[in-house]
Amino acid sequence: MKLTDLFSLKSLSKKEIGDLGEELAVRRLKQLGYKIIERNFCVHRIGEIDVIAMDGEYLCFVEVRLRSRTDYGTPAETVTAEKRSRLVRTAEIYAVKKGLTNALMRFDVVEVYGMEKPRIEVIKDAFWS
């Protein structure tokens, strides 16, 4: 049974659909060998990181983007310069807080296309800090 089979998408709120997309993304990351460290790390008034994980020697800060259509671009293209800046600042705070400032770091984006039959793409090194 698929995760999406458990829910009627029409009955879900936007946040619940986002949470479902994030869960699908985490499952895909685990399939690829990522070790999930933390989810939804938030720094008040600065930003939130959807997933923090290790991929080999890299500490990865992962933004999950869900789109049902690509009329206005791919999910990754919706990560604006402002959003990237907030992600980088939040990642810096996380690294300092956890004593990981010397770690090799990377920013990845997971694109989730659709929910009925989702297609999930992982973009490693999606942008630079």
Side-chain angles (χ1 to χ4, degrees), residues 65-93:
R65 290 297 200 178
L66 169 66
R67 291 292 178 267
S68 58
R69 300 168 39 168
T70 57
D71 298 354
Y72 300 102
T74 67
E77 290 171 335
T78 68
V79 182
T80 64
E82 180 180 342
K83 179 64 176 178
R84 289 190 303 269
S85 177
R86 287 178 173 275
L87 288 168
V88 168
R89 182 69 184 121
T90 305
E92 290 169 344
I93 291 168

Side-chain angles (χ1 to χ4, degrees), residues 44-127:
H44 184 65
R45 295 188 181 189
I46 295 177
E48 178 183 4
I49 298 172
D50 295 327
V51 180
I52 301 171
M54 292 299 297
D55 181 30
E57 62 186 338
Y58 284 92
L59 178 62
C60 300
F61 299 97
V62 182
E63 176 69 7
V64 177
R65 290 297 200 178
L66 169 66
R67 291 292 178 267
S68 58
R69 300 168 39 168
T70 57
D71 298 354
Y72 300 102
T74 67
E77 290 171 335
T78 68
V79 182
T80 64
E82 180 180 342
K83 179 64 176 178
R84 289 190 303 269
S85 177
R86 287 178 173 275
L87 288 168
V88 168
R89 182 69 184 121
T90 305
E92 290 169 344
I93 291 168
Y94 178 86
V96 168
K97 184 176 180 178
K98 300 294 184 175
L100 298 170
T101 54
N102 291 327
L104 294 173
M105 297 181 205
R106 189 174 78 207
F107 293 89
D108 296 353
V109 173
V110 176
E111 298 179 316
V112 180
Y113 292 92
M115 293 302 289
E116 296 294 336
K117 294 181 182 176
R119 187 183 86 207
I120 303 162
E121 302 288 334
V122 177
I123 302 170
K124 294 182 179 189
D125 255 342
F127 62 90

Side-chain angles (χ1 to χ4, degrees), residues 3-14:
L3 185 62
T4 53
D5 293 339
L6 299 175
F7 304 97
S8 166
L9 293 176
K10 295 180 194 300
S11 68
L12 298 179
S13 70
K14 187 175 179 180

